[in-house]
Amino acid sequence: MTPFKRSRETDLVTVSRRRLLQVGGQGLLGVTLPTLAQAGRGVHAPRARSVIFLFQWGGPSHLETFDRKPLAPDNIRGEFDDIQTSLPGVTLCEHLPRMARVMDRVVVVHGVQHDMTNHNPAGYFALTGRRPPLNDIRLKNTPDLFPAYGSVVDHLTPRQPGLPNFVAYPHVVRDGSVTPGQRASFIGAAHDPLLVLADPNAPDFDIPELSLPADMSFDRLQDRRAVWTELDRQRTAFDNAAARGIDAIYDRAYSMLLGESVRAAFDLSREPEAVRERYGRSTYGQGCLLARRLVEAGVRFVNVYFSDSIGGRYIGKGGWDTHGFDNTRMFPILKGWQLPLTDQSLPTLILDLEERGLLEETLVVWMGEFGRTPHINANASRDHWPRCYSVLMAGGGLRRGAIVGRSDGDGADPADRPIGLGDIAATIYHLLGIDPATRIRDLEGRLVPIAEGEPLLEACA
């Protein structure tokens, strides 16, 4: 059997179960064949130890979330009423009451702008901070595209023994084809995320890949590892660079099989029932709780995907793509699904991190790939709008209650300077203590910067 196979579920190359059993464990990591990369190192002190990246696939409306326009005409303001928040002068819609109480703890960035109108290129832009080569829904997940934030962080920062630096779950997002920007790409498969496709809200949620087979003791695992290491040494002269890069993946798998920390972090049954209920008994709510457990254990970067699909048709499933398909209207779907789910999970995560003393060292980023049109369309819905939208961040060395940038009276365009996704990327790296000007080597051997913008220093404490 070939040691590699292509998964139809993820469109990623995965290590076969039989191949990992040669190391002594079960199948563990989604990987791709690596290429060589070089990178510089940041030199300034980090303010954040970890990042929780809450990716709102489908494109949430900024006008129904964090950039309300209560004085605008009805065809812009929408159907929802406004409520006051803990941040003077800032209102939210009536369906975000819990979030309203924690607005004094967050940073809202308005006037975020790019020109990608399709989900896959806009999603890639949001997940990497790098402009895609074309604005086409058919943009494919190819090795020449830029790696995910978490993969870059894993490449540039040391790992703790027995822990992954980058974990992503519970979906692979796609709009037709798999959306680029979810993996390590040209910096090599060793920096791909630990990808978990199990539902953290399921009663039997488990990561069997992190457990040894019943008939495999740790001593036996050690013996098999010694044999595998010797075989690797003997075949080195015959392997190409890509195949040799796979060794790092087996080293990581072996380390996690022996370590208790990562298995304990994934064990949601250790959480009090009251805590689980506060986050909400949903896939996304329990995913947010799992993110807190992972950063508490020392994981550096966690991607939590709101949904695997752009959605927008039904209450109870899918993402934020509320166009008004088949004459459906966005406001009932927002009221019945996305907004209550957000209002339960996001403020709970922020408060839980704060109560545990983790918020100042954990950067929470809440964002989608674009916003929504200011004017409501003929289906009583809003369409794609990358010209102006909002990103919410909290913790990780940010200045509480800061509002960065602003939109015009309709939420159609930035009122002053536009803020690019490169600036968001630079801010994330800056807070992690990584110089945004750090360069890594791409597929063609060119040195390219990890961010094409400047940190939002006015947002930093």
Side-chain angles (χ1 to χ4, degrees), residues 220-276:
R220 187 178 172 199
L221 174 64
Q222 294 276 18
D223 292 341
R224 287 198 176 190
R225 177 61 177 174
V227 172
W228 178 245
T229 299
E230 176 60 20
L231 289 174
D232 273 357
R233 187 188 66 77
Q234 293 180 20
R235 69 179 170 82
T236 297
F238 302 99
D239 276 347
N240 60 32
R244 286 197 301 272
I246 296 298
D247 293 347
I249 296 158
Y250 293 123
D251 288 339
R252 180 168 57 157
Y254 177 73
S255 175
M256 284 190 281
L257 282 168
L258 290 180
E260 169 63 20
S261 298
V262 67
R263 293 197 302 276
F266 276 104
D267 187 359
L268 286 170
S269 69
R270 301 189 184 199
E271 286 291 330
E273 191 62 28
V275 173
R276 300 196 69 176

Side-chain angles (χ1 to χ4, degrees), residues 124-253:
Y124 164 75
F125 209 167
L127 290 165
T128 66
R130 297 286 299 200
R131 182 181 176 81
L134 71 166
N135 180 23
D136 193 319
I137 196 65
R138 296 166 295 180
L139 182 69
K140 297 291 186 182
N141 190 21
T142 55
D144 58 307
L145 294 180
F146 213 75
Y149 285 126
S151 295
V152 174
V153 170
D154 183 51
H155 185 46
L156 298 178
T157 60
R159 292 184 186 139
Q160 292 190 48
L163 279 177
N165 255 353
F166 181 23
V167 179
Y169 59 84
H171 310 292
V172 172
V173 300
R174 66 182 74 222
D175 183 23
S177 60
V178 171
T179 303
Q182 301 177 65
R183 56 191 282 188
S185 190
F186 56 72
I187 60 175
H191 305 293
D192 272 350
L194 171 58
L195 177 63
V196 177
L197 297 180
D199 181 355
N201 191 43
D204 59 348
F205 174 66
D206 189 23
I207 312 297
E209 292 86 353
L210 298 180
S211 302
L212 290 174
D215 61 348
M216 179 73 66
S217 68
F218 283 107
D219 287 342
R220 187 178 172 199
L221 174 64
Q222 294 276 18
D223 292 341
R224 287 198 176 190
R225 177 61 177 174
V227 172
W228 178 245
T229 299
E230 176 60 20
L231 289 174
D232 273 357
R233 187 188 66 77
Q234 293 180 20
R235 69 179 170 82
T236 297
F238 302 99
D239 276 347
N240 60 32
R244 286 197 301 272
I246 296 298
D247 293 347
I249 296 158
Y250 293 123
D251 288 339
R252 180 168 57 157

Side-chain angles (χ1 to χ4, degrees), residues 274-341:
V275 173
R276 300 196 69 176
E277 292 295 329
R278 280 202 299 273
Y279 275 89
R281 283 296 193 160
S282 63
T283 300
Y284 181 66
Q286 296 301 294
C288 289
L289 171 56
L290 179 57
R292 188 268 288 163
R293 291 183 59 82
L294 289 170
V295 300
E296 197 169 27
V299 174
R300 296 275 287 170
F301 212 101
V302 182
N303 275 12
V304 184
Y305 300 116
F306 185 88
S307 174
D308 61 339
S309 70
I310 56 176
R313 295 175 183 263
Y314 310 104
I315 295 175
K317 63 181 295 187
W320 293 83
D321 193 35
T322 47
H323 277 291
F325 295 106
D326 303 323
N327 293 315
T328 58
R329 298 168 68 241
M330 73 178 291
F331 296 100
I333 297 175
L334 288 175
K335 178 181 177 180
W337 175 235
Q338 293 97 340
L339 291 177
L341 197 60

Side-chain angles (χ1 to χ4, degrees), residues 343-390:
D343 195 49
Q344 179 151 25
S345 56
L346 181 56
T348 300
L349 174 62
I350 292 169
L351 290 174
D352 197 10
L353 289 168
E354 182 178 64
E355 290 165 5
R356 293 169 180 271
L358 295 171
L359 186 57
E360 289 308 308
E361 62 184 39
T362 305
L363 175 63
V364 179
V365 180
W366 184 99
M367 65 181 293
E369 67 271 32
F370 39 55
R372 293 277 145 184
T373 51
H375 286 83
I376 297 170
N377 66 24
N379 288 330
S381 300
R382 301 188 194 270
D383 298 309
H384 300 180
W385 194 255
R387 275 172 44 183
C388 184
Y389 64 108
S390 301

